[in-house]
């Protein structure tokens, strides 16, 4: 990498949530319900995302993990030349902080704001507010631990259980104390027929403004 005299900030980078998020970070009393509400299965012969007990199967080649296939230095041609009949591993930096830092260094990236992958796709569809609250706590604890490896380089866009505003504000108050938390990730979608300009969200906007935390929509 050529030398540079400026910082590069990656404002839209993603992690991939590992099974340990459900098996270690999720409160034990919610592990069965949590895997019913939101769960990613990576099998040898196929993968699926489960949301509220409904299965959404990947239609792509299971040998090519679409969510974490790229590595520093790869090109479109290199991706196209991968043997589709051979199982290719997921990029280590998607779930392992030291590997992520090595990837960032190889690409000349100094700092990154990290977003979820499976929680981005399915979390806001979870119907049970209590389970959503437990899942949010688990994800946020995991991503905060991830960022703690390099607190001056890795920053988190956390998840809030917007299925219940009281739960969302409680979780915001809990995670806002951590310096790695710089944004709240929000999908631009209807929740219970309420879009983001509905008065339901007014307490959230007010608290984010008070705390100086960005709403990353």
């Amino acid at each position: 990498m050529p030398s540079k005299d400026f910082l590069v900030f990656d404002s839209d980078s993603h992690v991939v949530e590992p099974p340990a998020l459900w098996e270690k970070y999720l409160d034990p009393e919610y592990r069965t319900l949590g895997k019913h509400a939101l769960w990613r299965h990576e099998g040898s012969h196929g993968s699926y995302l489960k949301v509220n007990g409904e299965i959404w199967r990947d239609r792509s080649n299971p040998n090519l993990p679409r969510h974490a296939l790229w590595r520093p230095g790869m090109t479109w041609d290199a991706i196209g030349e991968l043997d589709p009949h051979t199982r290719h591993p997921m990029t280590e930096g998607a779930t392992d902080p030291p590997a992520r830092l090595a990837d960032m260094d190889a690409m000349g990236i100094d700092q990154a704001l990290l977003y979820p992958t499976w929680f981005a796709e399915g979390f806001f569809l979870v119907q049970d507010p209590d389970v959503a609250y437990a899942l949010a706590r688990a994800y946020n604890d995991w991503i905060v631990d991830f960022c703690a490896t390099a607190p001056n380089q890795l920053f988190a866009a956390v998840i809030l259980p917007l299925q219940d505003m009281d739960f969302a504000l409680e979780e915001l108050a809990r995670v806002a104390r951590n310096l790695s938390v710089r944004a709240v990730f929000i999908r631009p979608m209807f929740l219970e027929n309420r879009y983001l300009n509905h008065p339901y969200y007014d307490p959230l906007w007010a608290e984010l403004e008070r705390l100086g935390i960005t709403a990353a929509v």
Side-chain angles (χ1 to χ4, degrees):
M1 181 69 195
S3 62
K4 56 185 175 64
D5 58 1
F6 56 89
L7 292 178
V8 175
F9 184 87
D10 183 349
S11 63
D12 185 8
S13 196
H14 286 257
V15 292
V16 175
E17 301 88 312
L21 192 155
W22 285 266
E23 297 163 0
K24 175 184 175 182
Y25 286 85
L26 187 59
D27 293 339
E29 62 267 33
Y30 281 103
R31 286 176 186 169
T32 298
L33 291 171
K35 282 190 173 184
H36 177 84
L38 179 64
W39 167 247
R40 174 66 180 185
H41 172 75
E42 295 281 352
S44 299
H45 303 287
S47 304
Y48 63 79
L49 185 69
K50 182 195 296 181
V51 182
N52 298 317
E54 186 174 355
I55 301 298
W56 305 87
R57 297 193 182 277
D58 281 0
R59 302 301 181 187
S60 56
N61 187 332
N63 291 327
L64 304 172
R66 63 173 176 84
H67 49 281
L69 186 60
W70 288 85
R71 299 171 187 272
M74 291 191 77
T75 64
W76 284 106
D77 289 339
I79 292 287
E81 290 168 1
L82 292 175
D83 183 356
H85 303 292
T86 300
R87 183 78 170 188
H88 296 276
M90 182 173 66
T91 302
E92 292 87 350
T95 56
D96 179 66
R100 170 56 67 95
L101 292 169
D103 288 347
M104 289 168 58
D105 187 58
M107 294 184 288
I109 296 172
D110 300 288
Q111 298 174 315
L113 180 63
L114 304 176
Y115 291 84
T117 293
W118 308 130
F119 274 65
E121 292 192 6
F123 174 76
F124 294 106
L125 298 172
V126 172
Q127 295 174 346
D128 188 317
D130 297 285
V131 178
Y133 191 10
L135 285 166
R137 292 195 304 271
Y139 175 81
N140 293 337
D141 287 345
W142 177 77
I143 193 61
V144 163
D145 282 352
F146 190 104
C147 293
T149 304
N152 294 321
Q153 292 181 271
L154 302 174
F155 305 100
V158 294
I159 288 285
L160 297 182
L162 298 176
Q163 291 85 344
D164 182 273
M165 186 54 66
D166 289 328
F167 290 163
L169 294 177
E170 288 174 12
E171 181 61 5
L172 178 58
R174 187 181 77 92
V175 298
R177 296 190 293 266
N178 193 287
L179 294 178
S180 68
V181 175
R182 300 300 177 91
V184 169
F185 172 63
I186 301 172
R187 287 290 298 271
M189 59 185 288
F190 287 90
L191 290 176
E192 298 182 5
N193 294 318
R194 296 183 294 236
Y195 193 57
L196 299 180
N197 59 356
H198 192 281
Y200 174 80
Y201 292 95
D202 287 349
L204 174 63
W205 309 140
E207 190 62 9
L208 288 174
E209 182 176 13
R210 187 186 73 82
L211 294 169
I213 295 178
T214 298
V217 182

